[in-house]
Amino acid sequence: MSSKDIILFEDSVPLTSSGLYHSEDRLFPPVPDSCELTVECRRDDFSASLIARAVEDAEAHLLNMNVTSRPASAGNVSVDIRVSHRNGGSVARSLERYGFEVISIRGGMDRDLDTTRSRIGELMAHIDV
């Protein structure tokens, strides 16, 4: 892409000549009380509606889904999803029952656990003073 392909509008958001702006915040905006999962499946078996059904079977809502360019196993496609559960474990189990391989779970309860550990560490340092 050359500099002539970048267009700036009033809000100073750079757009490509095709009119699309690809930033992670725009494609995957932060949402409270959610978690993110990375899922892989065979390219021939990929079905957005099947992923959505698996998520809904875990009593969650599918908030975002993006097919990524992340290197996946040969013949597989990698998909990032965001769901309306703070704990992605139940969603991961449901996705695996539908034949998807869950590569990672981020956010949700893990984020709260990291914050709690940090605060406990700070408290312990303060008590030792």
Side-chain angles (χ1 to χ4, degrees), residues 30-69:
V31 177
D33 295 332
S34 66
C35 68
E36 302 163 9
L37 297 92
T38 299
V39 178
E40 275 189 18
C41 66
R42 290 191 43 220
R43 190 171 301 281
D44 296 341
D45 296 337
F46 174 74
S47 167
S49 61
L50 192 59
I51 291 174
R53 190 174 313 132
V55 168
E56 290 170 355
D57 278 355
E59 302 298 322
H61 297 285
L62 181 63
L63 303 174
N64 297 95
M65 180 186 312
N66 295 309
V67 177
T68 68
S69 60

Side-chain angles (χ1 to χ4, degrees), residues 24 28-39 51 55 58-66 79-93 95 102 104-112:
E24 188 168 332
F28 227 63
V31 177
D33 295 332
S34 66
C35 68
E36 302 163 9
L37 297 92
T38 299
V39 178
I51 291 174
V55 168
E59 302 298 322
H61 297 285
L62 181 63
L63 303 174
N64 297 95
M65 180 186 312
N66 295 309
V79 180
D80 286 338
I81 62 173
R82 178 173 288 140
V83 299
S84 64
H85 260 285
R86 294 180 70 201
N87 183 355
S90 61
V91 177
R93 286 188 296 277
L95 286 162
V102 177
S104 68
I105 303 172
R106 298 171 303 283
M109 295 296 249
D110 296 337
R111 193 175 316 149
D112 291 342

